[in-house]
Amino acid sequence: MPDLTKPRDVVELLLTAQIYNQSETLTENDLPANIRKHYWNREKKQVNRPISVRIEDAAELYGIEDVMQAVGSLPFIEFEKFGAELKLTVFDLTKSWFAKQEGAIDRIRANPALASFYENDGVDVSYAEATLKAQPKERDREYLASLAAEIAASDEDVDLLALVHLVAPEDVKQRIDKLVLTRDQEDKIEKIVQAIGHREYLREIGLCEIGKMLFIGLPGTGKTSIARALSEKLNSPLVEVKLSMITSQYLGETAKNIDKVFELAKKLSPCILFIDEFDFIAKTRVSDEHAAVKRAVNTLLKAIDEISLIDDGVLLIAATNHPNLLDRAAWRRFDEIVEFPLPDARMRKDILDIILSKVEGDFDSQEISLLADGFTGSDLRMVVREAVLHALTEARMAITQPDLTDAVDEFSNRVGLMMKEYTPT
Ligand SMILES: Nc1ncnc2c1ncn2[C@@H]1O[C@H](COP(=O)(O)OP(=O)(O)OP(=O)(O)O)[C@@H](O)[C@H]1O
Ligand SMILES: [Mg+2]
């Protein structure tokens, strides 16, 4: 049986290309992500007009082996340039044919370029709704790569990219709904989401002191995970930097690096600047009163003052395991302090259920959550990993309750080892 979705896909591409080519008001964000990514021009950071559809484009985009065979019988498609390029002959015929295909309406609703056309053509779709549904270019790794290439090309910033870790939202594996959050965390995240959705309004009413969050909590409680999940949810590229990485033994360099990182974030806007190990600089300050250290701290505080979610589109998230090391000057620069407490029994159960969701076996996560008092989310991951690996050593895919309880015991021993002091004999 011929696969009827292939011709529909190719026709969607041809229609989208034609509509995009003819309407200068449409932007890259009006294209479906797969088409935009395929036609992305890295140097120009855009999708060049006109989009032309060659056989190899259709083949690559939709995994079609024989494009001619798939669409050759459609009366409104012709092959030009010695058969290499696909063209629409009768647009009217094409648009009616496409709208009648199975699943086409859903495609139009997720394709703003098509929706902009069809909503004026009597089809029950809306361009405004389609733009809400479509994924913006900021989500694409191609987009981030373009910006990174541009920054790398401006000579003096060459090593800048070595200081930071850039992540495109589409590459983030962690989903926010797969994290177990406290009520307070949920509320604060929702506030930020709203602030980002209403940047213009907040600017108009002059409320600019928004968008700097400090995450505090023990290792393994989900600080990095939330920052990444937010990047995915908000379609904002993530600029991750560990403060220890940009602190140089040549103290003058540290201040320079800090400025560079903040400049980079502004260039990548809209983005999330995630500064991990935020206490690192405070630590050096305690141990060393050298003037250059003070300068570095002041540079950091000033950089924080001068970056804004509302004006620059940069959401700043700093994270620390040692909030007590931060002085008031650092502390007061954040408008939201988000605590990451040790999960309580109910949260532990929810975390376990998420981690175990694809694991086969007969077990009771409730009981494990009660045994695992004091465990962090990351500890619970290790427990499950131990249980799964142990089962594998016995040639089992399904795990049992003893696999899990043993793993909890083993993990508790491990904590004991960590606390033990080794004195040389
Ligand atoms: N509340 C949670 N819900 C679900 N998973 C969690 C939670 N907390 C931690 N985890 C899991 O534990 C792992 C480690 O978490 P993460 O790296 O985010 O911790 P962290 O707070 O950044 O630690 P560190 O301070 O060491 O950097 C992640 O894989 C994450 O999925
Ligand atoms: Mg972390």
Side-chain angles (χ1 to χ4, degrees), residues 174 178-182 185 217-226 228 274 276 319-321 340 343 347 350-351 354-355 376-379 381:
Q174 181 74 61
K178 291 281 184 282
L179 285 170
V180 179
L181 308 181
T182 64
Q185 289 170 343
L218 290 171
T221 47
K223 300 180 295 297
T224 301
S225 301
I226 289 200
R228 292 192 179 152
F274 179 59
D276 212 351
T320 174
N321 303 328
F340 287 68
M347 286 177 74
D350 292 345
I351 296 173
I354 289 171
I355 306 172
T376 63
S378 116
D379 297 342
R381 285 195 81 88

Side-chain angles (χ1 to χ4, degrees), residues 36-37 135-145 147 165-176 227-240 268 270-272:
R36 175 179 61 233
K37 285 155 69 73
Q135 293 170 337
K137 64 175 187 285
E138 286 79 12
R139 188 178 176 81
D140 304 346
R141 69 180 73 95
E142 288 79 0
Y143 167 80
L144 190 57
L147 289 180
H165 178 53
L166 301 181
V167 189
E170 73 167 322
D171 288 324
V172 173
K173 302 273 179 313
Q174 181 74 61
R175 294 289 181 272
I176 200 115
R228 292 192 179 152
L230 269 178
S231 151
E232 194 278 332
K233 182 182 165 80
L234 298 169
N235 287 319
S236 288
L238 188 67
V239 182
E240 268 190 51
L268 294 174
C271 70
I272 298 179

